[in-house]
Short mmCIF file of all heavy atoms in Angstrom, two decimals:
data_model
loop_
_atom_site.label_atom_id
_atom_site.label_comp_id
_atom_site.label_asym_id
_atom_site.label_seq_id
_atom_site.Cartn_x
_atom_site.Cartn_y
_atom_site.Cartn_z
N ILE I 8 0.84 -1.19 0.00
CA ILE I 8 0.00 0.00 0.00
C ILE I 8 0.88 1.24 0.00
O ILE I 8 1.84 1.32 0.77
CB ILE I 8 -0.94 0.01 1.21
CG1 ILE I 8 -1.99 -1.10 1.06
CG2 ILE I 8 -1.64 1.37 1.36
CD1 ILE I 8 -2.85 -1.29 2.28
N LEU I 9 0.57 2.18 -0.88
CA LEU I 9 1.26 3.46 -0.91
C LEU I 9 0.29 4.55 -0.48
O LEU I 9 -0.72 4.78 -1.14
CB LEU I 9 1.81 3.76 -2.31
CG LEU I 9 2.41 5.17 -2.50
CD1 LEU I 9 3.60 5.40 -1.58
CD2 LEU I 9 2.81 5.39 -3.96
N PHE I 10 0.61 5.22 0.61
CA PHE I 10 -0.22 6.34 1.09
C PHE I 10 0.46 7.65 0.71
O PHE I 10 1.63 7.87 1.00
CB PHE I 10 -0.40 6.27 2.61
CG PHE I 10 -1.11 7.48 3.17
CD1 PHE I 10 -2.45 7.71 2.87
CD2 PHE I 10 -0.45 8.39 3.98
CE1 PHE I 10 -3.11 8.82 3.38
CE2 PHE I 10 -1.09 9.50 4.49
CZ PHE I 10 -2.44 9.72 4.19
N ILE I 11 -0.30 8.52 0.03
CA ILE I 11 0.21 9.83 -0.38
C ILE I 11 -0.65 10.92 0.24
O ILE I 11 -1.83 11.07 -0.10
CB ILE I 11 0.25 9.99 -1.92
CG1 ILE I 11 1.12 8.89 -2.54
CG2 ILE I 11 0.77 11.37 -2.29
CD1 ILE I 11 1.17 8.95 -4.05
N ASP I 12 -0.06 11.66 1.15
CA ASP I 12 -0.76 12.79 1.78
C ASP I 12 -0.68 14.01 0.87
O ASP I 12 0.30 14.20 0.17
CB ASP I 12 -0.12 13.09 3.13
CG ASP I 12 -1.01 13.93 4.02
OD1 ASP I 12 -2.24 13.99 3.76
OD2 ASP I 12 -0.51 14.51 5.01
N GLU I 13 -1.76 14.80 0.85
CA GLU I 13 -1.83 16.01 0.02
C GLU I 13 -1.61 15.68 -1.46
O GLU I 13 -0.92 16.40 -2.18
CB GLU I 13 -0.80 17.05 0.48
CG GLU I 13 -0.88 17.45 1.94
CD GLU I 13 -2.05 18.36 2.25
OE1 GLU I 13 -2.60 18.98 1.33
OE2 GLU I 13 -2.42 18.46 3.43
N ILE I 14 -2.23 14.61 -1.93
CA ILE I 14 -1.99 14.13 -3.29
C ILE I 14 -2.36 15.18 -4.34
O ILE I 14 -1.84 15.15 -5.46
CB ILE I 14 -2.72 12.80 -3.54
CG1 ILE I 14 -2.22 12.13 -4.83
CG2 ILE I 14 -4.25 12.99 -3.56
CD1 ILE I 14 -2.72 10.71 -5.02
N HIS I 15 -3.26 16.10 -4.02
CA HIS I 15 -3.64 17.14 -4.97
C HIS I 15 -2.48 18.06 -5.34
O HIS I 15 -2.54 18.78 -6.33
CB HIS I 15 -4.81 17.97 -4.42
CG HIS I 15 -4.49 18.70 -3.16
ND1 HIS I 15 -4.60 18.13 -1.91
CD2 HIS I 15 -4.05 19.98 -2.94
CE1 HIS I 15 -4.25 19.00 -0.99
NE2 HIS I 15 -3.91 20.13 -1.58
N ARG I 16 -1.42 18.05 -4.51
CA ARG I 16 -0.26 18.89 -4.79
C ARG I 16 0.66 18.30 -5.86
O ARG I 16 1.57 18.96 -6.33
CB ARG I 16 0.54 19.15 -3.52
CG ARG I 16 -0.21 20.00 -2.50
CD ARG I 16 0.63 20.24 -1.26
NE ARG I 16 -0.06 21.03 -0.27
CZ ARG I 16 0.04 22.33 -0.14
NH1 ARG I 16 0.81 23.02 -0.96
NH2 ARG I 16 -0.62 22.99 0.81
N PHE I 17 0.44 17.02 -6.22
CA PHE I 17 1.22 16.42 -7.29
C PHE I 17 0.81 17.05 -8.63
O PHE I 17 -0.38 17.20 -8.92
CB PHE I 17 0.98 14.92 -7.36
CG PHE I 17 1.92 14.10 -6.51
CD1 PHE I 17 1.71 12.74 -6.32
CD2 PHE I 17 3.03 14.66 -5.92
CE1 PHE I 17 2.56 11.98 -5.56
CE2 PHE I 17 3.90 13.90 -5.15
CZ PHE I 17 3.66 12.56 -4.96
N ASN I 18 1.81 17.40 -9.46
CA ASN I 18 1.51 17.92 -10.79
C ASN I 18 1.20 16.77 -11.74
O ASN I 18 1.24 15.58 -11.35
CB ASN I 18 2.65 18.80 -11.31
CG ASN I 18 3.97 18.05 -11.40
OD1 ASN I 18 4.00 16.84 -11.67
ND2 ASN I 18 5.09 18.76 -11.20
N LYS I 19 0.92 17.08 -12.99
CA LYS I 19 0.54 16.07 -13.97
C LYS I 19 1.63 15.01 -14.14
O LYS I 19 1.35 13.81 -14.21
CB LYS I 19 0.23 16.72 -15.32
CG LYS I 19 -0.30 15.74 -16.37
CD LYS I 19 -0.63 16.46 -17.67
CE LYS I 19 -1.25 15.49 -18.68
NZ LYS I 19 -0.36 14.35 -19.01
N GLY I 20 2.89 15.45 -14.21
CA GLY I 20 3.99 14.51 -14.39
C GLY I 20 4.11 13.54 -13.24
O GLY I 20 4.35 12.34 -13.45
N GLN I 21 3.95 14.04 -12.04
CA GLN I 21 4.03 13.18 -10.86
C GLN I 21 2.86 12.20 -10.81
O GLN I 21 3.04 11.04 -10.46
CB GLN I 21 4.08 14.04 -9.59
CG GLN I 21 5.37 14.84 -9.44
CD GLN I 21 5.26 15.92 -8.38
OE1 GLN I 21 4.29 16.68 -8.35
NE2 GLN I 21 6.24 15.99 -7.52
N GLN I 22 1.67 12.68 -11.15
CA GLN I 22 0.52 11.79 -11.18
C GLN I 22 0.66 10.73 -12.26
O GLN I 22 0.29 9.57 -12.07
CB GLN I 22 -0.76 12.60 -11.37
CG GLN I 22 -1.12 13.48 -10.18
CD GLN I 22 -2.45 14.19 -10.36
OE1 GLN I 22 -3.40 13.67 -10.96
NE2 GLN I 22 -2.56 15.41 -9.84
N ASP I 23 1.19 11.12 -13.41
CA ASP I 23 1.41 10.17 -14.50
C ASP I 23 2.40 9.07 -14.09
O ASP I 23 2.28 7.92 -14.52
CB ASP I 23 1.91 10.88 -15.75
CG ASP I 23 0.82 11.69 -16.44
OD1 ASP I 23 -0.38 11.46 -16.13
OD2 ASP I 23 1.15 12.55 -17.28
N ALA I 24 3.38 9.45 -13.26
CA ALA I 24 4.36 8.48 -12.80
C ALA I 24 3.73 7.40 -11.92
O ALA I 24 4.21 6.28 -11.84
CB ALA I 24 5.48 9.20 -12.04
N LEU I 25 2.62 7.75 -11.26
CA LEU I 25 1.90 6.80 -10.41
C LEU I 25 1.01 5.87 -11.22
O LEU I 25 0.76 4.73 -10.82
CB LEU I 25 1.01 7.55 -9.41
CG LEU I 25 1.65 8.34 -8.28
CD1 LEU I 25 0.59 9.21 -7.61
CD2 LEU I 25 2.27 7.38 -7.28
N LEU I 26 0.50 6.36 -12.35
CA LEU I 26 -0.58 5.71 -13.07
C LEU I 26 -0.26 4.27 -13.44
O LEU I 26 -1.05 3.36 -13.18
CB LEU I 26 -0.94 6.51 -14.32
CG LEU I 26 -2.14 6.00 -15.13
CD1 LEU I 26 -3.39 5.97 -14.28
CD2 LEU I 26 -2.35 6.91 -16.35
N GLY I 27 0.90 4.04 -14.04
CA GLY I 27 1.26 2.70 -14.49
C GLY I 27 1.29 1.70 -13.35
O GLY I 27 0.81 0.57 -13.48
N ALA I 28 1.84 2.12 -12.21
CA ALA I 28 1.96 1.23 -11.05
C ALA I 28 0.59 0.91 -10.45
O ALA I 28 0.37 -0.19 -9.94
CB ALA I 28 2.86 1.87 -10.00
N VAL I 29 -0.33 1.87 -10.51
CA VAL I 29 -1.69 1.62 -10.04
C VAL I 29 -2.41 0.67 -10.99
O VAL I 29 -3.11 -0.26 -10.56
CB VAL I 29 -2.48 2.94 -9.89
CG1 VAL I 29 -3.95 2.67 -9.55
CG2 VAL I 29 -1.85 3.84 -8.83
N GLU I 30 -2.24 0.90 -12.29
CA GLU I 30 -2.89 0.07 -13.31
C GLU I 30 -2.47 -1.39 -13.23
O GLU I 30 -3.32 -2.29 -13.31
CB GLU I 30 -2.58 0.62 -14.70
CG GLU I 30 -3.38 1.84 -15.10
CD GLU I 30 -3.08 2.27 -16.51
OE1 GLU I 30 -1.92 2.13 -16.93
OE2 GLU I 30 -4.00 2.76 -17.21
N ASP I 31 -1.16 -1.63 -13.08
CA ASP I 31 -0.70 -3.03 -13.10
C ASP I 31 -0.68 -3.69 -11.73
O ASP I 31 -0.24 -4.82 -11.58
CB ASP I 31 0.69 -3.12 -13.76
CG ASP I 31 1.79 -2.37 -13.00
OD1 ASP I 31 1.61 -2.07 -11.80
OD2 ASP I 31 2.83 -2.07 -13.61
N GLY I 32 -1.17 -2.97 -10.72
CA GLY I 32 -1.28 -3.56 -9.40
C GLY I 32 0.03 -3.66 -8.63
O GLY I 32 0.13 -4.43 -7.66
N THR I 33 1.04 -2.86 -9.03
CA THR I 33 2.30 -2.85 -8.30
C THR I 33 2.06 -2.48 -6.84
O THR I 33 2.66 -3.01 -5.93
CB THR I 33 3.30 -1.87 -8.93
OG1 THR I 33 3.57 -2.28 -10.28
CG2 THR I 33 4.61 -1.81 -8.14
N PHE I 34 1.18 -1.52 -6.60
CA PHE I 34 0.76 -1.18 -5.25
C PHE I 34 -0.69 -0.70 -5.27
O PHE I 34 -1.25 -0.38 -6.32
CB PHE I 34 1.67 -0.13 -4.60
CG PHE I 34 1.83 1.14 -5.39
CD1 PHE I 34 0.79 2.04 -5.54
CD2 PHE I 34 3.05 1.44 -5.98
CE1 PHE I 34 0.95 3.20 -6.26
CE2 PHE I 34 3.22 2.61 -6.70
CZ PHE I 34 2.17 3.49 -6.84
N THR I 35 -1.29 -0.71 -4.11
CA THR I 35 -2.62 -0.12 -3.91
C THR I 35 -2.42 1.31 -3.41
O THR I 35 -1.74 1.53 -2.43
CB THR I 35 -3.43 -0.94 -2.89
OG1 THR I 35 -3.60 -2.28 -3.38
CG2 THR I 35 -4.79 -0.31 -2.67
N LEU I 36 -3.03 2.25 -4.12
CA LEU I 36 -2.85 3.67 -3.78
C LEU I 36 -3.95 4.14 -2.84
O LEU I 36 -5.13 3.90 -3.06
CB LEU I 36 -2.88 4.51 -5.05
CG LEU I 36 -2.86 6.05 -4.86
CD1 LEU I 36 -1.53 6.49 -4.25
CD2 LEU I 36 -3.12 6.75 -6.19
N ILE I 37 -3.54 4.82 -1.77
CA ILE I 37 -4.47 5.55 -0.91
C ILE I 37 -3.98 7.00 -0.88
O ILE I 37 -2.88 7.28 -0.43
CB ILE I 37 -4.51 4.98 0.52
CG1 ILE I 37 -4.95 3.51 0.51
CG2 ILE I 37 -5.47 5.80 1.39
CD1 ILE I 37 -4.91 2.86 1.88
N GLY I 38 -4.81 7.88 -1.40
CA GLY I 38 -4.46 9.29 -1.42
C GLY I 38 -5.33 10.08 -0.46
O GLY I 38 -6.49 9.75 -0.24
N ALA I 39 -4.78 11.13 0.12
CA ALA I 39 -5.53 12.03 0.99
C ALA I 39 -5.47 13.43 0.41
O ALA I 39 -4.40 13.89 0.01
CB ALA I 39 -4.97 12.02 2.41
N THR I 40 -6.61 14.10 0.36
CA THR I 40 -6.64 15.44 -0.22
C THR I 40 -7.71 16.29 0.46
O THR I 40 -8.75 15.79 0.87
CB THR I 40 -6.91 15.39 -1.73
OG1 THR I 40 -7.00 16.72 -2.26
CG2 THR I 40 -8.20 14.66 -2.05
#
């Protein structure tokens, strides 16, 4: 599990870097905003 606090502060590039890992199940994302 990956917990990201203040996830809304991530820019597009940072969010895109997460996308692939969420899609393929590398980790389960929990974001707080």
Side-chain angles (χ1 to χ4, degrees):
I8 291 172
L9 172 62
F10 174 68
I11 302 178
D12 197 18
E13 304 286 341
I14 193 170
H15 62 275
R16 293 181 181 266
F17 270 171
N18 59 33
K19 185 178 184 300
Q21 291 166 313
Q22 292 184 35
D23 287 344
L25 291 169
L26 185 59
V29 174
E30 283 183 325
D31 63 20
T33 299
F34 55 69
T35 300
L36 174 66
I37 301 176
T40 177

